[in-house]
Amino acid sequence: MKSPSGSPTREINKRLLLSIHQDGFFDILAGLIVINFGWVPILDATGLNPGVRQTILLTFYGLSIVIVIWLKRRITVPRSGYVKLAKKTRSRLSIVMLIVNMVLFVIFGGIYLLDIPLWSYFGSYQMSVPLGLIFMVLFSFTGGLLKAVRFYLYGILVLFSFIGSEHLFLVGRAAHHGIPLAAFVSGGIIFLSGCIFLSKFMRRYSA
């Protein structure tokens, strides 16, 4: 018998899906999203119809989300009775990493928006700085929501990956402003990190 909409059982399942991050699935999804983003300039360069390009990208994003949610329900939910949910209070490390990310956001945001003379060198990084900051903010928000310090680190990783890859583009060693390289490398690291967490989670908790 199915639980009615808004029932306690459904609410508990919803909270478990949002609260349990030890399984690594949020990391895997985050890595896939970043990797998928790396295909944007590559598809743009193919000359495909814009509608076709958008359809391809949205399909990849949609499949990533659906597959991760399905696996989370199949693997995490059956083990939810064994999982201790994260505490609601932030750890000191979480607060420190949040401050670090905020400082980096202010510094690089100021460099890009205010064109500070001392840092005019970064004026060449027209793609990497804003894109890296956007991803860093998104990962910081996720880290705060899940109380997971590693997502703050992911944000810093993506930011500096985009800046480093665009530097390679500027010296002629990467294509498309270095976006594909940055996305594939940083997204791949995040994806592999999620797989490691998933492996540990499955060994620790049996269904």
Side-chain angles (χ1 to χ4, degrees):
M1 180 174 169
K2 293 184 178 180
S3 301
S5 179
S7 67
T9 301
R10 185 163 183 169
E11 281 300 312
I12 290 173
N13 287 336
K14 183 178 179 181
R15 289 180 183 179
L16 285 170
L17 289 174
L18 291 174
S19 300
I20 300 172
H21 61 81
Q22 299 98 319
D23 57 12
F25 278 122
F26 286 114
D27 308 64
I28 291 172
L29 179 58
L32 290 174
I33 289 174
V34 175
I35 290 171
N36 288 340
F37 184 80
W39 290 103
V40 172
I42 296 176
L43 289 175
D44 287 344
T46 62
L48 288 173
N49 180 280
V52 175
R53 297 200 305 265
Q54 294 301 321
T55 300
I56 293 173
L57 290 171
L58 289 175
T59 299
F60 277 128
Y61 280 117
L63 284 175
S64 299
I65 294 171
V66 170
I67 291 173
V68 168
I69 290 177
W70 181 79
L71 288 173
K72 194 171 182 70
R73 289 183 180 275
R74 294 279 296 182
I75 296 174
T76 305
V77 173
R79 294 167 170 79
S80 61
Y82 300 97
V83 178
K84 294 180 180 180
L85 299 182
K87 294 181 180 180
K88 292 185 178 180
T89 55
R90 295 176 186 271
S91 66
R92 287 184 179 179
L93 185 56
S94 293
I95 296 174
V96 169
M97 290 310 305
L98 176 60
I99 293 173
V100 169
N101 282 25
M102 289 174 64
V103 169
L104 287 173
F105 178 81
V106 170
I107 291 175
F108 284 102
I111 289 169
Y112 182 77
L113 296 175
L114 302 179
D115 193 22
I116 300 173
L118 181 64
W119 296 89
S120 58
Y121 170 74
F122 285 94
S124 301
Y125 294 75
Q126 298 298 312
M127 298 293 291
S128 60
V129 172
L131 287 174
L133 288 176
I134 290 171
F135 274 111
M136 191 174 74
V137 168
L138 292 175
F139 279 119
S140 296
F141 176 79
T142 304
L145 181 66
L146 299 178
K147 308 296 187 292
V149 176
R150 63 184 183 275
F151 280 89
Y152 296 115
L153 298 175
Y154 293 159
I156 296 173
L157 168 66
V158 175
L159 172 63
F160 283 99
S161 293
F162 272 93
I163 293 175
S165 294
E166 186 159 16
H167 172 72
L168 293 178
F169 166 77
L170 292 174
V171 298
R173 296 185 179 180
H176 307 295
H177 288 271
I179 292 175
L181 176 63
F184 297 156
V185 170
S186 59
I189 292 174
I190 296 170
F191 178 85
L192 290 176
S193 175
C195 290
I196 292 172
F197 275 99
L198 176 59
S199 176
K200 290 180 178 180
F201 179 84
M202 293 183 69
R203 289 199 303 269
R204 186 178 304 165
Y205 304 108
S206 59

